[in-house]
Amino acid sequence: MSNQNNCALILALDLETREEAFAMLDRLGDSIEWVKIGLQLFTAYGPDFVREIADKGYKVFLDLKLYDIPNTVAKAVQSIASLPVQLLTLHGSGGSEMLEWANKARADHAPNLNLLAVTVLTSMNETQLRELNIKATPEQQVIHLANMSLNAGIQGLVCSSLELCPLRARFGNDPIIVTPGIRPAGSSADEQKRIMTPTAAAAAGSSYIVVGRPILKADDPAHAAHAIQAELA
Ligand code: C5P
């Protein structure tokens, strides 16, 4: 895929209830093609909710950030293979064996699914890495985990938009790179600290930008989503 020229918008469907989620999607109309379902809605409503979203025509990014022993993660990937999901996250820090087993389960059961390795959570800074006895800086650790994940055969990465340039410089255009922490010019940063505009993230090589509150909390969510789509186009 040509990542540099082709950046798509994913809506982070960070809402509390299924009713709120479907009401929001109704308001958004055709302005959204991709939906990210995270732990909150998945733990509340499970696989049926994923199927309902897909039945409405959306592509699904299931953000479960899997992390466990290799066999358990591989079995989870095998279970998810029965769901209409295009993108699924797991933690790069689970290690190369976990990543390889997950990728084998994907290849065997869901060849069209793309796995994305989460590197260092953007909520973690150098102090928190030290707490885990990791001596690298966050950027060094991101590169290290990205390298390990891609060598294990994983299709892509989730990272802060500020890490796009070093990752593209090191790994080229092939890996899918998904970036949250996106804020259209003039919108509130909320608690996100390291942000980029949609245009800047696309130019830096993001394959998909994940946007939640700038759309969900807009007075006119469809207008906000259309404006981001227009920026990306
Ligand atoms: O509302 P906002 O646009 O900040 O939402 C961003 C989405 O991306 C949320 O679902 C958040 O959990 C997710 N995310 C993030 N930073 C990461 C990984 C995921 O903001 N490092």
Side-chain angles (χ1 to χ4, degrees), residues 54-127:
D55 283 348
K56 284 183 151 291
Y58 297 101
K59 293 179 187 154
V60 176
F61 170 12
L62 190 56
D63 189 15
L64 299 185
K65 296 189 179 69
L66 303 175
Y67 182 111
D68 209 314
I69 61 170
N71 184 59
T72 302
V73 170
K75 294 292 182 199
V77 171
Q78 186 176 337
S79 295
I80 289 162
S82 68
L83 293 177
V85 170
Q86 278 76 35
L87 296 169
L88 171 70
T89 48
L90 72 181
H91 273 286
S93 51
S96 52
E97 201 178 338
M98 185 199 91
L99 296 162
E100 283 163 12
W101 283 49
N103 193 42
K104 179 161 188 328
R106 178 204 69 81
D108 289 346
H109 302 285
N112 296 325
L113 174 68
N114 284 313
L115 296 178
L116 304 172
V118 176
T119 54
V120 179
L121 294 170
T122 47
S123 53
M124 297 195 79
N125 59 21
E126 200 148 344
T127 308

